[in-house]
Amino acid sequence: KNEVEQSPQNLTAQEGEFITINCSYSVGISALHWLQQHPGGGIVSLFMLSSGKKKHGRLIATINIQEKHSSLHITASHPRDSAVYICAADQPKLIFGTGTRLQVFP
Amino acid sequence: DGGITQSPKYLFRKEGQNVTLSCEQNLNHDAMYWYRQDPGQGLRLIYYSQIVNDFQKGDIAEGYSVSREKKESFPLTVTSAQKNPTAFYLCASTPLGTANTGELFFGEGSRLTVL
């Protein structure tokens, strides 16, 4: 069993839909990262959080330390949100999930 | 604009050749990392460096070498000893945190194909 598991692996949505991507981990962490990998391959950091909830624009990230679970939500999804979303457990050694591929259609 | 620059973006290599991937950052970050990405797998750490002239092996260092002669530069050499070098390589940097890695900054990646 992987130490960091993401679900779903693939996700298809219509523009405007509310999206949720889940990340569960089995290790102790000091923080959890959410990253976005765009089709060209480059990766952008979206959030680093160690408790509670953070919000940037239409993106919301939550974490439940007791349950070892984090979620990334996208409100009012748009085709430009199409990307691979990766969570990483920070121990501080980073353990990466395998990613969730999101496609948003107009 | 501050950021990380990786080059080349695409690289083709014949078996038996060494190749060097460049990674330069102007973020004044102390820590730099090299990751390898393969289809269906999470990023795996090859090498990292937290200070000039010092670096540590990651989980999959065999067949790779690095140097850190300057704070802003962390080149990765893929040697002929690497059995399966075809992959996507990502360089990253962070300000040296205490309790955690800190916010991650990535380059655009280098895709290496061995012919």
Side-chain angles (χ1 to χ4, degrees):
Chain A
K1 189 179 191 295
N2 293 334
E3 293 170 303
V4 177
E5 300 261 3
Q6 288 186 238
S7 64
Q9 285 187 304
N10 295 283
L11 189 52
T12 301
Q14 289 295 125
E15 184 173 356
E17 285 185 4
F18 182 84
I19 304 291
T20 295
I21 299 170
N22 297 299
C23 177
S24 297
Y25 53 92
S26 57
V27 296
I29 66 168
S30 54
L32 187 122
H33 299 259
W34 281 103
L35 310 169
Q36 179 192 54
Q37 186 169 29
H38 55 74
I43 294 178
V44 174
S45 175
L46 299 175
F47 295 102
M48 181 179 70
L49 66 166
S50 53
S51 65
K53 176 178 170 177
K54 286 190 175 181
K55 184 176 189 288
H56 288 156
R58 295 181 295 107
L59 301 178
I60 303 166
T62 64
I63 189 167
N64 185 318
I65 297 294
Q66 287 74 29
E67 295 187 2
K68 296 191 173 182
H69 181 270
S70 177
S71 293
L72 176 68
H73 306 285
I74 305 175
T75 62
S77 59
H78 189 276
R80 65 175 175 267
D81 297 325
S82 298
V84 175
Y85 293 85
I86 300 169
C87 69
D90 194 335
Q91 294 192 289
K93 175 188 171 181
L94 290 169
I95 304 174
F96 292 85
T98 55
T100 294
R101 184 175 299 276
L102 171 65
Q103 290 183 290
V104 182
F105 294 99
Chain B
D1 282 335
I4 299 180
T5 302
Q6 285 188 242
S7 63
K9 192 167 177 63
Y10 299 97
L11 186 60
F12 297 89
R13 186 194 94 174
K14 293 182 180 179
E15 284 191 19
Q17 289 181 334
N18 293 353
V19 294
T20 297
L21 308 180
S22 170
C23 177
E24 303 276 332
Q25 55 100 357
N26 60 4
L27 299 163
N28 200 32
H29 285 171
D30 293 295
M32 297 186 74
Y33 309 82
W34 274 105
Y35 292 99
R36 170 179 172 140
Q37 188 178 37
D38 295 283
Q41 297 191 41
L43 276 70
R44 292 182 290 168
L45 181 63
I46 304 172
Y47 269 98
Y48 67 99
S49 169
Q50 295 181 318
I51 194 170
V52 173
N53 292 323
D54 187 50
F55 46 83
Q56 309 296 327
K57 291 182 179 180
D59 299 318
I60 55 165
E62 185 175 349
Y64 299 98
S65 65
V66 293
S67 62
R68 187 88 187 272
E69 297 177 1
K70 298 185 294 182
K71 186 175 184 177
E72 58 269 25
S73 179
F74 192 41
L76 173 74
T77 297
V78 184
T79 76
S80 56
Q82 168 50 234
K83 299 292 184 227
N84 185 21
T86 295
F88 188 61
Y89 293 88
L90 283 152
C91 179
S93 72
T94 67
L96 193 58
T98 52
N100 54 53
T101 302
E103 185 180 357
L104 292 159
F105 292 79
F106 284 87
E108 288 293 307
S110 294
R111 189 169 298 279
L112 172 63
T113 303
V114 174
L115 304 172

